[in-house]
Amino acid sequence: MLLRQRDLGRWCLHWRSLLIAALAVVISGCASMGNDWSSDTDSSGVRNPRAAKAPRVDLSKQSVSSLMAPSSNLWLRIQDGFAMPELNSPLVITQTRWLAARPDYVHRSMARSSRYLFYIVEEVNSRGMPTEIALLPFVESAFNPVAKSTAKAMGIWQFMPATGKDFKLTQNVFRDERRDVLQSTNAALDYLQRLHRQFGDWQLALAAYNWGEGNVAKAIKRNQATGLPTDYLSLKMPKETREYVPKLMAYKAIVLDPKAYGIVLPELENHPFFVAIDVTRDIDVDLIIKLADLTPEDFRNLNPSFNKPVILSAANQQILLPFGHAELFQENLKNYTGPLSSWTAVSVPATESADQLAKRLAVSVAVLREVNAIPVGMRVRAGSTVLIPKPSTKLADVSEHLAENASLNLVKPAPVKKAAAPSSTSKKTKAAPSKKAQSATKSPTQQKSASTDAAKSAKTTTAKTGATPQ
């Protein structure tokens, strides 16, 4: 019987005694069934060192219960780690009252946080950071992993595209690591630590995270030039940044004393919600959902970075599963004998329409458009990568080059040139045109058609795509 989150507390001791035996069979144990869950794309065994930063469980050697923490209440652990100074501003009271007046909103965001908070608190503690930082995604995204701002910031930490690239968060056709729970958390904490080293103050570091380090540095210089203090409350900054730290302090106040504000915090036990499992063969998302007995929503909540219906092994990815479901996934995968992946990727050698491409690749144009988000009327530019159903003759996984560098560039077709309109002849005949008319008459070859001027070809515009709709 599957274990649900609400049952985990009373099953903790049970897990400790049983999981080592229950998880003794490694995922690659299904090799005898023809689905070797081990990579054949990298014989060296060297994995992406950045991906290796994410905690993983080797199900053949390690019990999930070994990740259990000593305290039984995660909220108490968060409270114990609060270390930022209080912000003496009426904005803190204003923001706290705003949240207290919206208990349903607070409850929804608190419930979402239950999937991620243990991991974030673990990372914050391991870096010696104040645990107020673990509450920052409440301010940024209300812990919505697919949140997208009007400025195109994404994920629970709301990374902008350029900042994500600065911190090596992959953004391509197959995945957007700004939404990856583990990778984005590591990148956000790296960034915040860098800002803290730069400004020597957590409140200023948070202001820089929201407003930009350059803007905060300029604001400090302006105050220094006029002999004014340079703390958070003394700097001139936009309204959003002025309210940013007070919003975080409001969540801190609620976590410290929820009853005082009429808020009921969800029960959060101090142990992992999920297990990270290496993906060492290409595998369909639908198959993972089936073998792990998850709903599509539950899978997306923990794995929001994947843009396509297949997860590629060459990208050194991992999937996150609630650890009760990880055991079931392992057992079902061991007994599964069908193909792991029904998709593959190809590079487009020449610019062509979706119809031409589908015909050449012998796939359904409707499927090609849908899975690659190709609008009607757009052509696929040469060098693009498209996902297509895997032919029965193709067994290999998608190559590392495509997995890491895939892009989809679309271009509008050039407008069709209009033919020059024929010159009209008068229905009336004249006996003898005047000399003035004769001198004005020129041969057709001497005339320049105005319509020809108007028919100059327009420049094509290119649109890039890759992320699935939110």
Side-chain angles (χ1 to χ4, degrees):
M1 189 174 93
L2 295 180
L3 299 180
R4 303 297 179 186
Q5 182 67 15
R6 63 178 180 272
D7 299 320
L8 291 176
R10 61 189 179 86
W11 282 95
C12 288
L13 295 177
H14 182 66
W15 273 99
R16 285 184 182 278
S17 60
L18 295 182
L19 272 180
I20 292 178
L23 302 182
V25 181
V26 70
I27 284 180
S28 60
C30 63
S32 60
M33 304 298 179
N35 282 325
D36 184 9
W37 191 261
S38 59
S39 178
D40 59 0
T41 60
D42 185 3
S43 58
S44 68
V46 177
R47 298 192 62 81
N48 183 340
R50 180 169 55 84
K53 290 171 62 179
R56 288 176 167 84
V57 173
D58 183 341
L59 297 182
S60 66
K61 301 175 183 178
Q62 184 181 6
S63 165
V64 175
S65 60
S66 68
L67 300 176
M68 303 293 283
S71 174
S72 62
N73 189 318
L74 184 59
W75 294 117
L76 292 178
R77 183 180 175 191
I78 292 172
Q79 292 173 12
D80 290 342
F82 284 157
M84 286 178 58
E86 297 301 323
L87 188 66
N88 186 20
S89 169
L91 287 175
V92 175
I93 298 174
T94 301
Q95 294 298 330
T96 307
R97 287 175 176 171
W98 190 93
L99 292 173
R102 294 162 176 81
D104 291 342
Y105 169 80
V106 174
H107 179 75
R108 286 195 302 272
S109 56
M110 291 285 181
R112 282 193 293 264
S113 76
S114 64
R115 309 178 189 108
Y116 320 114
L117 260 179
F118 177 85
Y119 172 76
I120 295 173
V121 172
E122 284 277 286
E123 287 297 300
V124 166
N125 284 168
S126 70
R127 295 165 182 253
M129 302 170 75
T131 52
E132 286 95 336
I133 299 299
L135 305 180
L136 192 58
F138 283 120
V139 179
E140 285 288 345
S141 62
F143 271 97
N144 180 357
V146 295
K148 182 178 181 179
S149 75
T150 55
K152 298 184 179 179
M154 280 192 177
I156 61 175
W157 295 97
Q158 289 291 280
F159 269 96
M160 295 288 288
T163 311
K165 289 179 181 178
D166 288 344
F167 283 88
K168 312 302 181 186
L169 296 177
T170 300
Q171 301 163 59
N172 67 16
V173 164
F174 295 106
R175 68 192 191 278
D176 189 335
E177 288 183 343
R178 293 178 297 158
R179 295 193 301 256
D180 185 284
V181 175
L182 306 186
Q183 301 291 359
S184 68
T185 295
N186 287 330
L189 298 185
D190 285 346
Y191 189 23
L192 285 162
Q193 283 186 305
R194 190 183 83 183
L195 293 171
H196 183 254
R197 288 192 297 269
Q198 179 177 351
F199 296 106
D201 179 274
W202 280 114
Q203 294 174 359
L204 292 177
L206 289 165
Y209 187 88
N210 175 257
W211 191 24
E213 54 203 280
N215 290 323
V216 172
K218 289 176 183 178
I220 290 174
K221 287 182 178 180
R222 283 194 296 267
N223 277 27
Q224 287 174 336
T226 56
L228 295 174
T230 58
D231 60 286
Y232 177 83
L233 292 176
S234 299
L235 298 182
K236 185 178 180 181
M237 56 184 63
K239 181 176 182 291
E240 179 184 324
T241 309
R242 171 65 60 217
E243 296 177 348
Y244 191 68
V245 175
K247 286 180 180 179
L248 181 62
M249 294 298 103
Y251 277 103
K252 175 181 179 178
I254 287 175
V255 170
L256 280 172
D257 192 2
K259 291 182 179 179
Y261 303 101
I263 300 294
V264 177
L265 298 180
E267 291 185 9
L268 290 186
E269 297 191 21
N270 193 23
H271 60 71
F273 184 90
F274 55 75
V275 173
I277 300 175
D278 285 337
V279 174
T280 54
R281 291 295 309 273
D282 291 1
I283 185 168
D284 289 352
V285 170
D286 284 346
L287 180 60
I288 297 172
I289 290 172
K290 178 181 178 181
L291 297 181
D293 191 27
L294 288 169
T295 66
E297 182 181 11
D298 287 339
F299 180 82
R300 284 193 299 270
N301 285 335
L302 290 179
N303 302 275
S305 64
F306 300 118
N307 295 327
K308 299 299 179 185
V310 62
I311 299 173
L312 307 182
S313 62
N316 291 321
Q317 293 300 287
Q318 70 269 345
I319 54 174
L320 305 184
L321 300 176
F323 61 76
H325 292 261
E327 180 189 8
L328 183 66
F329 172 75
Q330 177 197 26
E331 183 65 24
N332 287 337
L333 182 64
K334 182 179 66 174
N335 298 319
Y336 178 75
T337 59
L340 293 176
S341 170
S342 58
W343 300 93
T344 190
V346 296
S347 182
V348 179
T351 300
E352 52 191 332
S353 68
D355 289 339
Q356 293 170 325
L357 184 58
K359 183 177 180 180
R360 181 171 63 80
L361 296 174
V363 299
S364 162
V365 66
V367 171
L368 181 70
R369 287 189 188 280
E370 180 180 3
V371 75
N372 294 286
I374 303 173
V376 175
M378 298 297 285
R379 292 162 61 84
V380 181
R381 188 185 284 269
S384 294
T385 299
V386 293
L387 196 69
I388 61 171
K390 181 183 286 188
S392 58
T393 56
K394 183 176 176 63
L395 300 178
D397 290 341
V398 175
S399 70
E400 181 179 358
H401 176 75
L402 287 183
E404 293 293 352
N405 301 289
S407 65
L408 178 62
N409 299 307
L410 304 178
V411 60
K412 293 181 180 179
V416 179
K417 293 184 177 181
K418 296 181 180 179
S423 59
S424 59
T425 57
S426 174
K427 292 182 180 181
K428 295 182 180 180
T429 58
K430 296 182 180 180
S434 65
K435 291 182 179 181
K436 184 177 181 181
Q438 288 178 347
S439 63
T441 303
K442 296 182 180 180
S443 66
T445 58
Q446 294 174 304
Q447 296 177 353
K448 184 176 182 180
S449 171
S451 62
T452 303
D453 285 338
K456 290 181 179 179
S457 60
K459 293 182 179 179
T460 58
T461 58
T462 303
K464 291 189 177 181
T465 183
T468 55
Q470 299 298 315

